[in-house]
Amino acid sequence: MVYVLSVLIVVLIVVIGLLVVSFQLKQKRTAVFTEENYDLKAITIAEIDKMEDGSGFEMYLYRLFMELGYFGVYKTLGSRDFGADLVFTDREGVRNVVQAKRYHVNNPVSISAVQEVFSCMRYYKAKRAIVIATAKYTEPCETLAGINHVKLLDRTDLIKVIEAFRSGDTLTACEIIEGEPRMILESWSEANSGVLHEVRKDYKAEKLWGRRLQ
């Protein structure tokens, strides 16, 4: 009986010790991402990947844009942001809206990111829209961004911005952020033909509606 009790006490002590260590590691990991307590130039993509949710990434970008010297930088509220996480005015005096996507490296950002940030431009009286992500983008996302001239900064672009900032090269960081988006334009013949692009139809819906009209 005494032996069993001793074993239980040892197990309990070990479990409590593991819980304490786990809590301390978690506190250490998240503490560097509080608004007051971390050196912005110490943050790399590895630290961003450790952030528990997107709010830490948004705060990082908010502070980064201020350190880069942009004007009119502010972080929107978590609710009712209408699709923008950040707003800033670039070096040419143009207001930009930004949506931040902290995704797993193997989880590409979908088309909804472009839909949301583009649709909120009028609300914020912005002329440019940017999506900044810790991952790649899906092909439909890139296509819609190209049609609507939305700037997409993927993981590779973000790393370049971070490295430029950490090395003190703010000019390069700003040029990456402000660079022209990849545009998808109609060909000259299509633009002047007067014929609209063929739209993919829901033929099932058409057949259903046709039967109801009969």
Side-chain angles (χ1 to χ4, degrees):
M1 182 66 181
V2 175
Y3 174 76
V4 173
L5 185 59
S6 300
V7 171
L8 290 175
I9 291 173
V10 170
V11 171
L12 183 60
I13 292 172
V14 171
V15 170
I16 293 174
L18 290 174
L19 289 174
V20 169
V21 171
S22 176
F23 177 77
Q24 289 176 340
L25 289 175
K26 183 177 180 181
Q27 288 293 99
K28 183 178 180 181
R29 186 182 70 177
T30 59
V32 296
F33 304 124
T34 61
E35 185 176 357
E36 301 85 5
N37 293 338
Y38 67 83
D39 176 9
L40 203 63
K41 288 193 173 182
I43 301 299
T44 66
I45 194 67
E47 278 69 47
I48 291 174
D49 287 339
K50 295 175 185 177
M51 293 177 178
E52 292 188 344
D53 54 39
S55 62
F57 184 42
E58 293 169 15
M59 183 61 69
Y60 167 78
L61 291 177
Y62 170 66
R63 292 187 55 192
L64 175 65
F65 278 44
M66 288 195 295
E67 288 293 323
L68 290 174
Y70 288 124
F71 296 98
V73 182
Y74 68 87
K75 183 179 178 299
T76 62
L77 294 173
S79 60
R80 298 191 64 185
D81 60 18
F82 297 97
D85 297 313
L86 301 170
V87 180
F88 75 98
T89 301
D90 63 26
R91 294 173 298 172
E92 295 181 353
V94 177
R95 178 175 289 180
N96 292 246
V97 286
V98 178
Q99 185 168 115
K101 292 294 185 184
R102 197 198 69 80
Y103 280 21
H104 187 275
V105 63
N106 295 322
N107 183 18
V109 179
S110 67
I111 195 171
S112 62
V114 173
Q115 293 170 331
E116 292 169 9
V117 77
F118 182 77
S119 65
C120 77
M121 288 175 65
R122 284 192 176 184
Y123 178 82
Y124 290 103
K125 296 181 173 60
K127 292 184 179 179
R128 298 183 75 227
I130 305 173
V131 182
I132 303 178
T134 57
K136 298 292 185 181
Y137 297 93
T138 64
E139 185 177 345
C141 183
E142 291 184 347
T143 299
L144 189 64
I147 291 292
N148 290 289
H149 302 174
V150 173
K151 174 80 172 182
L152 298 181
L153 294 173
D154 63 12
R155 185 180 182 87
T156 300
D157 299 317
L158 176 61
I159 291 172
K160 290 179 181 178
V161 170
I162 293 172
E163 290 178 347
F165 170 72
R166 296 182 70 215
S167 67
D169 188 0
T170 58
L171 178 60
T172 296
C174 290
E175 286 178 346
I176 295 172
I177 293 169
E178 298 176 28
E180 286 297 318
R182 171 178 173 264
M183 297 182 183
I184 299 177
L185 304 174
E186 292 178 323
S187 69
W188 179 257
S189 59
E190 289 174 332
N192 289 276
S193 66
V195 179
L196 294 175
H197 291 290
E198 181 180 356
V199 178
R200 291 185 180 181
K201 298 180 180 180
D202 186 344
Y203 291 104
K204 183 178 180 181
E206 287 188 353
K207 290 180 180 179
L208 177 62
W209 184 248
R211 286 200 297 270
R212 289 184 176 180
L213 292 178
Q214 292 175 356

